[in-house]
Amino acid sequence: MIVRTKKFQMGKGQYIRKGFFNLLSEQWWIILIYLLLCSMNFYIPSIWWIIGSSIALILYVLFWLIQFFGVTQVEQSSYMFERLSYEISSNQIMMKINNKQGMPIKWDTVKKVKIQKDCFLFKLNIVQFIIFPYKVFNNENEIRFIKSILNRKGYVK
């Protein structure tokens, strides 16, 4: 069975927001490093531990915001923000501009899939992902079929 989605366009703001908060939820341990560096103030009293670690944390967050914003600006990834339809099967995900032009995405390139309350989030790498809102599917059976594919491929535990 092949699931054909309706044509939709991923907004750049939505991409930055979802990607950044997804990254923060995966890299929550950075806060522990920040707190550890701040707690050095108790062993070697100096306000510079807090100031330095705060600057490092701000620079780290800014770095990732720039990365996500940069992906939306470069021409190589402009295809991600066009109006596309997708065909999802157990073999591959076909990203289609129209009926004659498309690009296959093998399941091997998908690193992780998150099932969220309003969408599927297919992570290709740390800053590239595809968002499939549930509203682009034609019925509930297609969503269940995709969940079963994800179960078989081992993306959902």
Side-chain angles (χ1 to χ4, degrees), residues 10 12 20-22 37 40 71 77 120 142-143 148-149:
M10 181 171 33
K12 292 179 180 181
F20 183 68
F21 287 118
N22 181 49
L37 288 172
M40 289 299 291
V71 167
S77 62
F120 292 109
E142 291 181 348
I143 295 172
S148 71
I149 290 175

Side-chain angles (χ1 to χ4, degrees), residues 130-144:
I130 303 170
I131 299 171
F132 290 111
Y134 292 151
K135 65 182 179 182
V136 300
F137 299 106
N138 296 317
N139 56 40
E140 193 68 33
N141 291 335
E142 291 181 348
I143 295 172
R144 276 190 247 126

